[in-house]
Amino acid sequence: MPEARSSCACSGCGSLFFSLLCIFLIWVIVLPRNPKITITDAHLTQFSFTNITTNSTLHYNLAFNLTIRNPNKRLGISYRRIRVIGNYQKKRFALVTLPNTTVPFYQGHKNTTFLRDITVRGQQVLKFGEKEISEFNKETAAGIYTIDTVLALRVKLRLGTIKFHNYGPENIHCKLKLPLRTTNSTLNQTSSGNITLTKCGDVSAVAGFFLSWFS
């Protein structure tokens, strides 16, 4: 019996080693690279509190364009869902799911996708302490607001005709520092409340590639 168990254990180790070796060889062939995401032409036309107390209502209006680049030669990417989360001083004030007319979409090899006119607009009650209110007042006086824009992605990878499992949601952070945009400014005037480009965190396609094999 001990010999039989030892034989089974060796067989299991051999199968695991063979599987890992196959995955490694495929990885060497595919060389997955992380997609690059940037926010362009962002502008903030409203960002204000009403009745600033411990429970205040934040009114906001943020719009931007999104550029997603797939640098892979062999790996395609399907974006199944994209949500935009707005955080201010580590408190969430907005959650927007991009509509079906925009997502899902497939992105082929060496391809760039442009998502335009993404709008995050509305109002939200937030509970702020004296420290947060003081920071908001400082940013208002300076005319620059720090907004953590998070992209929550659900992604599926494709290698030729092979489709892997969905993975995510994966949160990609895009740190924005934006002044309020004046009503008579144009989209390309950086001085009136726009930024030309903000690099976001990477989509972990490499990690997703490995996770897909064990899903």
Side-chain angles (χ1 to χ4, degrees):
M1 289 296 293
E3 292 183 359
R5 290 178 181 177
S6 177
S7 177
C8 290
C10 291
S11 177
C13 292
S15 298
L16 178 61
F17 175 78
F18 180 75
S19 298
L20 292 176
L21 179 61
C22 289
I23 294 172
F24 175 74
L25 291 176
I26 293 174
W27 180 83
V28 171
I29 295 172
V30 175
L31 290 176
R33 298 172 60 191
N34 292 328
K36 304 299 180 182
I37 297 180
T38 55
I39 286 180
T40 61
D41 299 318
H43 56 275
L44 187 68
T45 56
Q46 185 179 22
F47 203 74
S48 61
F49 277 112
T50 57
N51 300 322
I52 297 182
T53 59
T54 54
N55 290 293
S56 305
T57 301
L58 176 66
H59 300 263
Y60 54 90
N61 192 342
L62 169 67
F64 57 88
N65 299 327
L66 200 63
T67 301
I68 305 175
R69 172 68 178 171
N70 178 12
N72 290 284
K73 295 180 179 180
R74 298 178 178 86
L75 200 63
I77 305 172
S78 291
Y79 292 85
R80 312 303 298 168
R81 188 183 68 194
I82 298 178
R83 286 178 172 170
V84 181
I85 301 170
N87 293 323
Y88 181 69
Q89 299 193 54
K90 298 182 180 180
K91 295 184 184 293
R92 177 183 295 186
F93 64 83
L95 173 61
V96 175
T97 301
L98 297 193
N100 293 335
T101 53
T102 304
V103 183
F105 65 88
Y106 173 74
Q107 189 175 54
H109 319 138
K110 293 287 185 177
N111 187 266
T112 302
T113 301
F114 301 96
L115 305 180
R116 304 186 185 280
D117 300 323
I118 298 172
T119 302
V120 181
R121 178 175 57 225
Q123 61 185 46
Q124 178 64 44
V125 175
L126 296 177
K127 186 176 182 179
F128 275 170
E130 293 183 1
K131 182 179 179 180
E132 287 84 2
I133 293 174
S134 175
E135 185 64 27
F136 174 80
N137 290 334
K138 287 180 181 179
E139 292 199 338
T140 300
I144 301 290
Y145 297 96
T146 303
I147 300 174
D148 181 21
T149 305
V150 182
L151 305 175
L153 309 176
R154 185 169 292 279
V155 179
K156 176 181 287 187
L157 304 179
R158 183 188 298 179
L159 177 60
T161 58
I162 302 174
K163 297 180 181 179
F164 298 101
H165 296 284
N166 290 327
Y167 73 94
E170 182 180 7
N171 291 340
I172 309 301
H173 291 262
C174 312
K175 298 289 186 179
L176 299 179
K177 289 184 177 295
L178 292 172
L180 284 177
R181 180 187 175 196
T182 58
T183 55
N184 60 353
S185 62
T186 61
L187 189 62
N188 295 322
Q189 290 179 314
T190 305
S191 61
S192 27
N194 299 292
I195 55 173
T196 55
L197 183 148
T198 293
K199 294 182 179 179
C200 302
D202 289 341
V203 181
S204 300
V206 175
F209 181 80
F210 284 103
L211 288 172
S212 297
W213 289 92
F214 296 100
S215 300

